Amino acid sequence: MERTSYVSVDVLLLRYDHGTRRLLLGLHDRTVDPFAGWPALPGVLLHRGERIREAIGRALAKVDLRAAGSGQLVTFDEPNRDPRGPTLSVATWAVGTEVGTATWAPPENLPPLAFDHERIVADCWPLLAGMLWRETDFTRLLTGDEFTVADAVALHTALTGTPPDRGNLNRTLAGLPGLARTDRLASAGRGRPGAVWSWSP
């Protein structure tokens, strides 16, 4: 009789770097087979009676980080995704504010990843894009308490693959609860200074 599938919790760990205006994905190098030495999404097998959020915490401990926030995305059920046997993967997201021991890479330039993690990233990225500006907690974790229009453009472009229309973006920002445009301007590099937006405490 075949065993019941295991359940893994794999984390798309995100961090926005305001200095470089890049959205980065946190990876770690596996230390055991299969795929020893390969970069992978931080992940763990779910323990009996364990909650998903607790498993996310254990996964992030592999890169010495705690999530500022996290949530579930989708489950991958390909029976052959793990050479050890049938293993479901609950793909989740987490946002970190520190570097930890993770290897941070831009999503458009990832190395080959263990298991089916490249597919997980590819399939989950549109879901994350759909959460930006629509789910306030997720958006605020990525932007930080204050951010510029240039930051908003960079985040939108990184997640959707397309630069936003500035007018539409400003209208979207103006409609977000708890977010307000300040009187301050920040240099956006070349071109006109950009507005600074701030979340209420």
Side-chain angles (χ1 to χ4, degrees), residues 109-165:
N109 192 28
L110 295 178
L113 302 180
F115 302 105
D116 59 345
H117 289 187
E118 291 173 54
R119 179 192 170 189
I120 290 177
V121 174
D123 286 1
C124 288
W125 211 252
L127 302 178
L128 296 171
M131 292 166 59
L132 185 67
W133 316 132
R134 290 182 176 88
E135 296 196 16
T136 304
D137 290 344
F138 173 76
T139 300
R140 183 169 183 166
L141 288 168
L142 282 181
T143 63
D145 291 338
E146 288 192 348
F147 62 95
T148 66
V149 168
D151 291 320
V153 169
L155 277 169
H156 183 98
T157 304
L159 283 170
T160 68
T162 305
D165 176 84

Side-chain angles (χ1 to χ4, degrees), residues 13 28 42 57-67 98-102:
L13 173 61
H28 82 107
R58 286 197 298 115
L60 296 186
K62 291 184 174 183
V63 290
D64 295 330
L65 286 175
R66 292 184 178 180
E98 304 293 334
V99 174
T101 59

